[in-house]
Amino acid sequence: MDVSSGVPQGSVLGPVLFLIYINDITDNMQSTIRLFADDCTIYRPINNKNDQQIPQSDLTNLTKWEQKWKMAFNVSKCNVMHLTRSKNPIKKSYYMHGKQLEVV
């Protein structure tokens, strides 16, 4: 069936329109967010138990954003990485869509 709207795959316009479409994804984020093509990374230092709640709040905000714009994160490709030199690191489980994110 012919498609009468959209952007041809591989066109220069596609990535530009995608970036415009997701431009507000950084709104309401307390963590640092980095975007590259269609990938998104959030990160922040965790120095105490209160800091642990902020990334979860940001993940909840990202879930609200995806519902608003009818996008969907592939939760099976979402991971958590803890980087520390501490012998007793502060670790917490994080969730999206009710599923615990895998620690890598």
Side-chain angles (χ1 to χ4, degrees):
M1 171 182 278
D2 289 336
V3 177
S4 60
S5 65
V7 178
Q9 187 168 353
S11 73
V12 175
L13 190 56
V16 173
L17 291 175
F18 179 75
L19 290 174
I20 292 169
Y21 189 72
I22 67 163
N23 190 47
D24 67 338
I25 196 170
T26 59
D27 294 354
N28 304 316
M29 297 290 288
Q30 294 178 309
S31 300
T32 302
I33 185 169
R34 298 284 184 226
L35 303 171
F36 181 76
D38 63 348
D39 288 330
C40 172
T41 300
I42 64 170
Y43 60 93
R44 70 174 298 107
I46 305 295
N47 297 312
N48 56 54
K49 298 261 184 203
N50 291 332
D51 288 344
Q52 289 180 317
Q53 301 307 320
I54 296 170
Q56 184 59 62
S57 174
D58 290 335
L59 290 171
T60 300
N61 286 335
L62 286 174
T63 301
K64 291 175 185 174
W65 179 89
E66 73 177 340
Q67 291 169 352
K68 175 183 175 184
W69 292 108
K70 311 235 186 294
M71 298 277 285
F73 291 108
N74 186 342
V75 178
S76 67
K77 292 184 177 182
C78 297
N79 301 297
V80 174
M81 181 185 294
H82 301 281
L83 302 174
T84 183
R85 288 188 226 164
S86 174
K87 292 182 181 181
N88 299 312
I90 302 171
K91 293 187 178 180
K92 178 183 182 335
S93 297
Y94 295 98
Y95 298 83
M96 278 186 89
H97 300 192
K99 296 179 183 172
Q100 184 176 343
L101 300 181
E102 178 185 3
V103 177
V104 296

